[in-house]
């Protein structure tokens, strides 16, 4: 389950980076590998924040360590850290 969650995370990050990279405002977006995200989570240095955008019920069943749930339709600035240099990782899963 943990490996699957991390794989879903990296896919979400990669897709978000690809979709957002078409925007003129996305120059600062970067892609992270599964290993890079796992290393950042393990470091627990207060500079990487993980956000789960799945439905609340799915989040409650399981999520990445330290992930905070946010409603993807209603993310606000107050949901995000004040540190503008922090790394924000958003992920979700989709089952067809």
């Amino acid at each position: 389950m943990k490996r699957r969650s991390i794989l879903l995370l990296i896919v979400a990050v990669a897709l978000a980076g690809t979709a957002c990279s078409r925007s003129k405002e996305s120059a600062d977006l970067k892609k992270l590998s599964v290993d890079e995200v796992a290393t950042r989570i393990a470091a627990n240095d207060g500079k990487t924040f993980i956000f789960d955008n799945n439905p609340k019920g799915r989040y409650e069943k399981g999520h990445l360590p330290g992930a905070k749930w946010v409603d993807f339709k209603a993310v606000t600035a107050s949901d995000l850290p004040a540190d503008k240099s922090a790394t924000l990782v958003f992920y979700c899963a989709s089952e067809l």
Side-chain angles (χ1 to χ4, degrees):
M1 179 67 174
K2 183 177 177 181
R3 181 174 169 83
R4 180 173 182 244
S5 294
I6 292 174
L7 179 58
L8 291 173
L9 169 66
I10 195 61
V11 169
V13 170
L15 290 175
T18 301
C20 295
S21 66
R22 296 182 185 134
S23 167
K24 292 179 184 177
E25 300 175 21
S26 66
D28 294 338
L29 293 180
K30 298 176 185 171
K31 294 180 184 179
L32 297 173
S33 70
V34 171
D35 291 337
E36 288 170 322
V37 173
T39 298
R40 288 170 184 248
I41 290 171
N44 196 22
D45 62 4
K47 292 297 231 172
T48 302
F49 298 85
I50 311 296
F51 297 92
D52 187 318
N53 294 120
N54 286 299
K56 186 72 169 179
R58 185 178 186 113
Y59 170 82
E60 290 170 350
K61 287 181 182 177
H63 53 273
L64 290 174
K68 175 183 176 186
W69 180 79
V70 289
D71 183 349
F72 75 94
K73 294 180 184 177
V75 177
T76 64
S78 64
D79 294 319
L80 306 176
D83 182 356
K84 301 295 183 193
S85 68
T87 299
L88 309 180
V89 178
F90 291 83
Y91 74 94
C92 64
S94 177
E95 292 184 28
L96 301 176

